[in-house]
Amino acid sequence: MQTGVAIGSIFVVNHRHGHFITFDVMGGEQIASAGKVIETRLGALQFPPAAANAVILLGATMLIIAVLNRIVDIRKEL
């Protein structure tokens, strides 16, 4: 895997987590994304489940970045 692909993958993964409004517009608010689930729980004042979902999302993102960092040594390439 090339360095550019790994860095691009990291950017795409992080960028997609914040774009839950796109799912609303394109899916007619019928599609649940991770960001939308957290927003819905916060709107319903369910702070502990929203925080748990946010921590799971953060952990999954960190795991993806760690795996990509294991495959390609980004610091060495840059």
Side-chain angles (χ1 to χ4, degrees), residues 13-40:
V13 166
N14 285 329
H15 190 65
R16 287 303 319 156
H17 290 312
H19 279 276
F20 51 88
I21 192 68
T22 307
F23 293 108
D24 286 349
V25 173
M26 299 300 287
E29 297 186 14
Q30 299 297 318
I31 300 172
S33 66
K36 184 65 177 168
V37 170
I38 294 170
E39 181 197 23
T40 303

Side-chain angles (χ1 to χ4, degrees), residues 48-66:
N53 285 343
V55 168
I56 291 170
L57 182 61
L58 178 65
T61 303
M62 290 177 67
L63 181 67
I64 291 169
I65 292 172

